[in-house]
Amino acid sequence: MSQISAGPAGPATSPSPSRADPRWSAWRVVVGFGMVSLAADMVYEGARSITGPLLGALGASALVVGLVSGAGEAMSLLLRLASGPLADRTGRYWSLTLLGYALTAACVPLLAVAPFLGGAGLTVAAVLILAERAGKAVRSPAKSALLAQAAGAVGRGRGFAVHKALDQVGAFAGPLVVAAVLAGTGVIWPALAVLALPGALAIGLLLWIRLRVPDPAVFDTEPAAPAVSRPRAGSTPPTRLSRWLGTDLPRRFLLFAAAAGAATAGLVTYGVISFHASRTGLIPVAGIPLLYAAAMAAAALAALVSGQLYDRWSARVLFALPVLGAAVPALALSDSLVAVVTGTLLWGAAVGVQDSTVKALVADLVPAARRATAYGVFAAVQGGAALAGGVLVGALYARSLPALITALGMTQLLALGLLAASLADRRPPSSP
């Protein structure tokens, strides 16, 4: 049975089955986490569906939108380099998960205040967007580690896929709520304020699961992966810094993290897609959340399909990710409504694979006691890539769309090569 760190007081011990409500199965825990994500996604995906037009209405340029959206994604990923190891070292998986969801539940409704703050509105909105993304960073490694424990009993590809599908139901419903309120009121702020309700629901559901199943490790029956690459005889053992940064984790994991980072850098954000669709007049502002909802539906379908295929074919299914990413900017940043919609749906499919099947492979590449650290390192690589991609998109969008599309396509080609290298690396963990 997999083990989970008990914190700094001593080594982990195998949990007792009595630490879970006997009426709760592994699937029920997976679905429970999915329902939490469903409610939370209504909050932050509802807000993200209108972030581009909101920042534009507050006076932001395309460069500012690209920087804020890129920096937000970078924060949500880079900060996990600290929150992941913190979860593993302290064992406070539940506390960090709750704190992160609480930040999201508070920051998004507060965006409704920004239009009333005059010249300070843009700054306040940007800060709140970044703070919400920080909440994502705080909770994600800890929550993913908890989910991986339960999903180990049902097949991680399927477990993460079902969780992602429920997550995407919220990502679909949130933008629809925003669109309905926006259509009824004609202004953005009430649509943001109403998102306080699903935020409170997410916190309540999470507390309920914590009460019923305080330690999901009781469900994890799959054998752990090798912990780290062991150094050669006479070489220096891993330092505390290397363990914190995850550089002692398996080589295949590090290669895979680099591949996923390149794929992230080459995937244009929805903030830029929505800015482009609104600015060109192809889609009215009230239709932007509807387009996002459709993309989230595509993400749910892609997660379910890729999750099922992952449990059958293993990581080979992930070769589809760079291909999807390369097609997105060529379509979503065009002057054709059909192409923009198609590109946005492909963007949603890529996001669905990134947020489900990719995480299943990470859990299979590292041991249970190091999963939160691995998720943090993995996300930090993606975060740096997201920031670089956001700057690239913001800088090239107004200058040359063909140059931008070419640059992103080359980045996805790099991701494809790195992914092939990671899957081809068959050296055992004891190799230097």
Side-chain angles (χ1 to χ4, degrees), residues 54-392:
L54 171 66
L55 292 176
L58 293 173
S61 64
L63 178 59
V64 171
V65 173
L67 286 174
V68 171
S69 60
E73 292 310 303
M75 282 188 66
S76 77
L77 297 169
L78 283 171
L79 291 181
R80 299 182 207 187
L81 188 59
S83 64
L86 179 63
D88 282 335
R89 288 170 62 87
T90 65
R92 298 185 180 277
Y93 298 93
W94 282 108
S95 297
L96 291 170
T97 301
L98 282 162
L99 175 61
Y101 276 114
L103 278 171
T104 291
C107 290
V108 168
L110 286 175
L111 282 171
V113 178
F116 301 98
L117 299 180
L122 178 58
T123 300
V124 170
V127 169
L128 287 172
I129 290 169
L130 295 179
E132 186 281 318
R133 293 287 84 191
K136 175 80 169 177
V138 168
R139 71 176 180 263
S140 190
K143 183 205 72 175
S144 294
L146 291 171
L147 177 61
Q149 296 281 347
V154 301
R156 288 204 175 93
R158 290 186 295 272
F160 274 93
V162 169
H163 172 269
K164 183 60 180 177
L166 289 170
D167 177 280
Q168 293 309 110
V169 171
F172 178 81
L176 290 182
V177 170
V178 169
V181 176
L182 182 59
T185 63
V187 289
I188 294 176
W189 73 265
L192 294 168
V194 78
L195 295 176
L197 297 176
L201 178 60
I203 299 299
L205 286 171
L206 191 61
L207 289 171
W208 183 44
I209 299 171
R210 170 68 177 84
L211 177 65
R212 297 298 184 184
V213 188
D215 192 354
V218 298
F219 299 112
D220 195 357
T221 58
E222 291 190 4
V228 294
S229 297
R230 293 191 297 273
R232 277 185 263 184
S235 63
T236 304
T239 64
R240 177 175 294 185
L241 178 61
S242 68
R243 286 182 60 81
W244 185 277
L245 296 177
T247 55
D248 63 326
L249 289 168
R251 185 182 294 106
R252 291 187 70 193
F253 162 76
L254 296 175
L255 279 171
F256 178 59
T264 298
L267 187 64
V268 65
T269 66
Y270 185 76
V272 173
I273 293 175
S274 63
F275 180 87
H276 174 80
S278 177
R279 175 180 149 174
T280 56
L282 292 172
I283 299 175
V285 174
I288 297 296
L290 298 178
L291 179 62
Y292 189 77
M296 294 301 95
L301 179 60
L304 288 171
V305 172
S306 64
Q308 291 286 341
L309 293 178
Y310 175 81
D311 285 339
R312 293 183 182 181
W313 299 346
S314 189
R316 293 189 299 274
V317 69
L318 293 176
F319 279 117
L321 184 57
V323 177
L324 288 172
V328 169
L331 295 169
L333 300 182
S334 73
D335 292 327
S336 165
L337 176 60
V338 173
V340 168
V341 172
T342 302
T344 304
L345 293 178
L346 292 179
W347 172 85
V351 169
V353 175
Q354 275 188 330
D355 288 348
S356 60
T357 310
V358 164
K359 291 182 178 179
L361 179 56
V362 171
D364 284 336
L365 290 176
V366 297
R370 296 278 279 156
R371 280 183 192 140
T373 298
Y375 281 123
V377 171
F378 187 83
V381 172
Q382 286 186 297
L387 181 58
V391 172
L392 176 67

